[in-house]
Amino acid sequence: ITIFTDGDTDVASGNISIDTAVVNGSSGNITLGGRLSTGGGVSSGATGIAAGDITLTVDTTAGNITAHELFAKGSNGTATGGAGGNITLTTGSGTITLTQGVNNRSGANRGGTRPSTGTITFNDAVILSSNAITIETTTTDQANGGDITFQSSIDGAQDLTIRSGSGTVTIAGAIGATTALTSLNINDSATVHAGTTVSYTHLRAHE
C-alpha cells in the first residue's frame, strides 16, 4: 500500500499524520508496508512547491513503528526549489524499524541550487532491517540541508548513509551497541554529534 498526498501541478502537498491515539485509543503499532509520500507538486513557475510533513506517533509505551520508504521532497522550480517537509517518528519507549530510506530534500532550480529544507527526527531507538538505508536532507552536490536527529540508539547489521548538508547530524544514543552496523557513512554534513559507543565494520565521515 502506498499512501501519498503529493501535490498536483502548482498545488502544495498535504501533511500525513498517523497517531495510534486517534486510530485505536492509545495502543498498538504502526506498520507501513509501502511508500509514504508528501512530495511537492510539479511547479510551472519560478518557485518549487514545498512538501508536506510526515508524522508517525505511537501513544503507548508498548508500541513500535515499522516504516518503509518515507519521502517528503520539495519540487523543482526555475528560480528556487520547494522546501522538503519535516519527518518525525515517535514511539514513547518502543523501537523504530526502517526497511527503506528517508528523504526530505528540497527541490532544485535549473542551476541545481536547493534551499534549506525540513528536519528528520527519530525520537526513539532505530533498527535497520534492509541491506542499505540512506537518510538524507540534501544531495551529494549541494550544501543546504536540514538537521537529522537520532534521540536514541541505532542498531542493525546493515549499511547506513546519512547526509545533511548544512544541517547537523546528532546521534544521542549508542551506535551498534546491540548489533553492529555493517558500515556507517556520514557525508556531506556540516556538523556531527555522536553517542559515546560506536560499533561498526566500516566508518566513513566527511563533508
Side-chain angles (χ1 to χ4, degrees):
I1 297 174
T2 297
I3 302 174
F4 61 92
T5 61
D6 297 350
D8 203 345
T9 301
D10 294 327
V11 177
S13 168
N15 300 321
I16 293 177
S17 179
I18 300 175
D19 189 323
T20 58
V22 175
V23 174
N24 60 13
S26 189
S27 65
N29 303 315
I30 295 175
T31 302
L32 304 173
R35 186 187 198 195
L36 207 61
S37 175
T38 61
V42 175
S43 173
S44 63
T47 303
I49 307 300
D53 297 337
I54 294 175
T55 305
L56 305 180
T57 306
V58 174
D59 282 318
T60 175
T61 58
N64 303 308
I65 293 174
T66 300
H68 198 61
E69 182 182 12
L70 302 178
F71 183 86
K73 178 182 175 295
S75 69
N76 298 338
T78 58
T80 304
N86 297 307
I87 299 177
T88 307
L89 282 66
T90 306
T91 69
S93 62
T95 59
I96 299 166
T97 298
L98 300 179
T99 65
Q100 293 288 337
V102 181
N103 177 347
N104 72 340
R105 302 193 311 265
S106 59
N109 64 13
R110 288 180 176 173
T113 303
R114 300 175 186 272
S116 296
T117 191
T119 61
I120 296 175
T121 305
F122 304 96
N123 282 316
D124 300 285
V126 170
I127 298 173
L128 310 175
S129 71
S130 73
N131 186 52
I133 298 286
T134 298
I135 299 171
E136 58 185 349
T137 60
T138 190
T139 59
T140 57
D141 59 345
Q142 291 300 319
N144 290 330
D147 294 344
I148 299 175
T149 303
F150 297 83
Q151 295 286 13
S152 187
S153 58
I154 306 173
D155 283 289
Q158 314 296 340
D159 302 317
L160 175 62
T161 298
I162 301 171
R163 185 179 297 117
S164 68
S166 59
T168 297
V169 175
T170 301
I171 305 173
I175 303 171
T178 301
T179 304
L181 278 60
T182 301
S183 69
L184 174 61
N185 302 293
I186 303 176
N187 48 29
D188 300 296
S189 298
T191 306
V192 178
H193 302 291
T196 56
T197 302
V198 182
S199 181
Y200 51 84
T201 302
H202 303 287
L203 173 65
R204 184 184 180 192
H206 66 88
E207 286 190 38

